[in-house]
Amino acid sequence: MTLATPLDAHNSHPVDTERRPHPPRKTPRQTRSKHLVEAILEAAARVFDQHGFERGTTNRIAELAGVSVGSLYQYFPNKKALVTALHARHMQEVGQLIGQDLRDGATQPLAASIDHLVFSLLQIHHQNARLQRVLHMEMPFYRPDPVGEPLASTPAQDLMAVLQAHRAELATPDLDQAAAMVLHMGEALVHAAVLNPPPGLGLPALAEGISQALQGYLLRPRVDAGARG
Amino acid sequence: MTLATPLDAHNSHPVDTERRPHPPRKTPRQTRSKHLVEAILEAAARVFDQHGFERGTTNRIAELAGVSVGSLYQYFPNKKALVTALHARHMQEVGQLIGQDLRDGATQPLAASIDHLVFSLLQIHHQNARLQRVLHMEMPFYRPDPVGEPLASTPAQDLMAVLQAHRAELATPDLDQAAAMVLHMGEALVHAAVLNPPPGLGLPALAEGISQALQGYLLRPRVDAGARG
Amino acid sequence: MTLATPLDAHNSHPVDTERRPHPPRKTPRQTRSKHLVEAILEAAARVFDQHGFERGTTNRIAELAGVSVGSLYQYFPNKKALVTALHARHMQEVGQLIGQDLRDGATQPLAASIDHLVFSLLQIHHQNARLQRVLHMEMPFYRPDPVGEPLASTPAQDLMAVLQAHRAELATPDLDQAAAMVLHMGEALVHAAVLNPPPGLGLPALAEGISQALQGYLLRPRVDAGARG
Amino acid sequence: MTLATPLDAHNSHPVDTERRPHPPRKTPRQTRSKHLVEAILEAAARVFDQHGFERGTTNRIAELAGVSVGSLYQYFPNKKALVTALHARHMQEVGQLIGQDLRDGATQPLAASIDHLVFSLLQIHHQNARLQRVLHMEMPFYRPDPVGEPLASTPAQDLMAVLQAHRAELATPDLDQAAAMVLHMGEALVHAAVLNPPPGLGLPALAEGISQALQGYLLRPRVDAGARG
DNA sequence: CATGAATGAGAGTTCATTCAT
DNA sequence: GATGAATGAACTCTCATTCAT
């Protein structure tokens, strides 16, 4: 069954928000600055994690970072720039970790790779759960900068490679779409598991469920007339 | 593969906020009041949808509803009560719609039921996308009142009935957990599809992907341990 | 020793407050109205006692009185009129009670009369302590209406009569001033004893102290050169 | 005559308010800050004096002090903290002034010391009369910090010393209680004289009356029980 | 006359951002 | 560069008063 109506989301633009990402005001080259920026971001992560975006004040962040507000504003033009930077940092972490995982397990069965993928995502997200909420749900206005240094390999590319190795088992020949779907769904399911865990279900059960759902999506024979009729 | 560590989220105080729901200050009995409450809730939905919770001001809501702030506060003790009420309303809508769907298709193949479920969820969520963000991510503090009039049937119960009818096909005998998982994952995937649609993927593709993942979770024979090690 | 400087209180006019007393909007002649007014005043007393003037809301008062706010405003033009009316009521009570006391004890020693006076004042004030605060300190804008029905006898007059009977013992021949002083001081001391009781001192001790101070004021030989030198 | 019933005020919740004092948010070390705090307190005194506590707005205070509200809240966590600070300031003034007076006149007759005491209290209180009302009646929630630096001498101690010197003349051997009583009554009478001066009585007459009452309390031989019954 | 829903000015308080030092 | 005191617009919420019913 497919959707007849286009279902275009017509009204979900955060109005108060200009769309262009906020790059750090000055690229820190000196190591001192680099450390400062690191400290600020770390503090921002902690503060947003604890209080959310709106109630996480720049003063608190500066204080926790051990710098003055003025210094904070020297490196980040405004509050949202902090989120943008955190977003970028998070994306990089995710990319590195799951890319590594996938490349490491290139030769093992697909099920094992998917298990690893889910486990890695959970690991990254289970800490700073609320920060994830801020990053992904409150402030989803980060688009990975296409101009910056292109990453050597994206998670999608790494996953594609894995799928290539198992293309015979897959239910669909469109590996591109399959990889995108798996990543998108994986993230969504992991976020939900971490941020809104349903009362009865433990995290291990959720992890296994997620893995099975993703495998099901990839591997299940699309049409099995005998079984359905 | 299962998770050894419990992965308990230890530091995510959800909004510095107490959990108990905020009931409407005065139950509207007269039709006039009912209309007022309706207007306010409708306005709140629109304002939160556009601006999010923190930036959606009560004055704006009142203005959009065509009443004074005072009137708003006559029916809702504080801002959060608006979210709680919207939450309740949403839950009811979801429950009614998908319950209906599931009961209607009790005799059809499981695949069709899951398709229906996903489609229904998408239908409900694709409008007021940001409101959904507010409801589910920013302010997840609503628990349906267990003391009030118990609903004739919950979505979980309805889904259970469907699973019962197809228990032979299912990969797991624990229908309870299966139903909870499907609902939880379905919601998560639908939210993600609506709120963070990945650039390359259309909504129809997402809908189909979601449905297949859920079916895969339910139907795919678990790989037996021997084959995995 | 006398005060050289005039010590005129030059800046203590409550600015927001027009000075003229607020008479009840309509003199209630029907018994129904009378009861209504009584109920409202009783409620006002209780509410002001509990919450003070500013935080004692007219709605709360009306509710406690069992009438609608509208009805309240039918009999009292505004919130302050309630205080004015309470003030008048209090004055009447005080006048009646201590007048009675003083007249009853016309023939007993002065010390006993003063004791009685203090005791009566304490009795009246120890209940609704905070109301007394409201009446005397927060909202001292009541002047007994000189136009209204003149009371048969004022406390001052009654006290004067007592002093007359003991004029030989008194330290001053100006009975008028003495009576005024005793009443004024008595009230002040009783209020302080009730509203700001000092930690170490019990109310009985305070009562006795007050009585002795007043007697000391009245009776003490003004100059007793032998004892002072 | 003593009071049989304890007369405990059972229903006078003082301002729906917690009792702990509100310390200034940040102790001003730089002289600049000190001036600012001074200016704010001065403005607060004036505004509360004119409008009372509830109607004296923080914005008005800030404006009168020539600073922004934000600055006000940088030094005082909330409105009540202003009153607390004013209270402390007042207490210090009172303590210093009357302590000085009492110590200066240690050798003079008791009557002269009491006169001085009353005069000093009147001097301090006759200005900002309404502020005194705010401090003592509307917001009596300041307790001098017992933990902080203990004052070299409290008024009570200073008065005790004076009483010691005249113990032979006193009517009671309990100097502790006598000192407390005199202070408590003195304050009450001075407040009343300043805040609710009775129409006929001038301030000099009141001052003298107060002094005589206090002396009477201290010196008048207690009437022995046999004479009273 | 009685009602009580509706009003809306105004309160206390917060916090992103600036800029004189 | 670094600082952090100062700013003030904007927010949530209250409550005396009115007036259509």
Side-chain angles (χ1 to χ4, degrees), chain D residues 160 163-164 167-179 218 222:
Chain D
M160 278 266 293
L163 296 187
Q164 289 271 19
R167 71 178 345 157
E169 316 165 38
L170 299 187
T172 172
D174 187 347
L175 300 191
D176 231 44
Q177 170 167 316
L218 283 173
R222 280 359 176 207

Side-chain angles (χ1 to χ4, degrees), chain A residues 75-89:
Chain A
Y75 293 103
F76 298 92
N78 53 47
K79 204 182 168 187
K80 281 198 279 211
L82 290 167
V83 178
T84 304
L86 285 175
H87 230 132
R89 203 175 71 157

Side-chain angles (χ1 to χ4, degrees), chain D residues 2-222:
Chain D
T2 55
L3 291 165
T5 23
L7 280 187
D8 55 324
H10 52 291
N11 60 349
S12 55
H13 296 253
V15 197
D16 346 354
T17 215
E18 67 283 12
R19 276 297 176 128
R20 58 208 162 103
H22 301 269
R25 174 176 282 176
K26 131 184 335 186
T27 331
R29 260 182 244 284
Q30 293 87 6
T31 45
R32 174 148 174 58
S33 300
K34 221 168 208 162
H35 287 157
L36 232 169
V37 167
E38 275 311 309
I40 292 171
L41 276 184
E42 204 44 50
R46 287 244 280 277
V47 168
F48 287 145
D49 181 55
Q50 249 192 2
H51 304 278
F53 177 72
E54 296 278 355
R55 306 199 72 84
T57 76
T58 50
N59 278 292
R60 237 194 293 245
I61 291 169
E63 195 184 16
L64 184 59
V67 302
S68 65
V69 230
S71 289
L72 187 156
Y73 278 92
Q74 199 128 48
Y75 293 101
F76 299 91
N78 52 48
K79 200 182 170 186
K80 281 198 285 210
L82 290 168
V83 178
T84 304
L86 287 176
H87 232 132
R89 205 173 69 160
H90 175 67
M91 289 309 210
Q92 240 188 13
E93 279 177 21
V94 169
Q96 278 177 353
L97 187 48
I98 79 177
Q100 195 59 43
D101 269 14
L102 291 176
R103 285 193 299 277
D104 284 358
T107 59
Q108 59 191 332
L110 184 57
S113 285
I114 299 295
D115 274 350
H116 261 116
L117 176 66
V118 172
F119 181 72
S120 297
L121 284 175
L122 274 171
Q123 274 223 310
I124 295 172
H125 288 87
H126 89 104
Q127 33 189 354
N128 307 119
R130 187 127 132 86
L131 173 63
Q132 298 310 320
R133 177 140 53 214
V134 171
L135 255 38
H136 292 279
M137 302 277 83
E138 288 189 47
M139 308 259 87
F141 51 70
Y142 170 78
R143 297 266 165 267
D145 197 349
V147 184
E149 26 171 353
L151 301 180
S153 72
T154 67
Q157 286 169 350
D158 292 325
L159 182 56
M160 278 266 293
V162 171
L163 296 187
Q164 289 271 19
H166 299 272
R167 71 178 345 157
E169 316 165 38
L170 299 187
T172 172
D174 187 347
L175 300 191
D176 231 44
Q177 170 167 316
M181 265 317 252
V182 166
L183 247 23
H184 173 249
M185 285 180 157
E187 260 208 297
L189 292 171
V190 164
H191 286 153
V194 166
L195 299 179
N196 290 316
L201 269 32
L203 210 31
L206 284 167
E208 199 174 336
I210 293 170
S211 190
Q212 265 151 20
L214 294 181
Q215 290 173 54
Y217 166 77
L218 283 173
L219 302 177
R220 226 179 87 72
R222 280 359 176 207

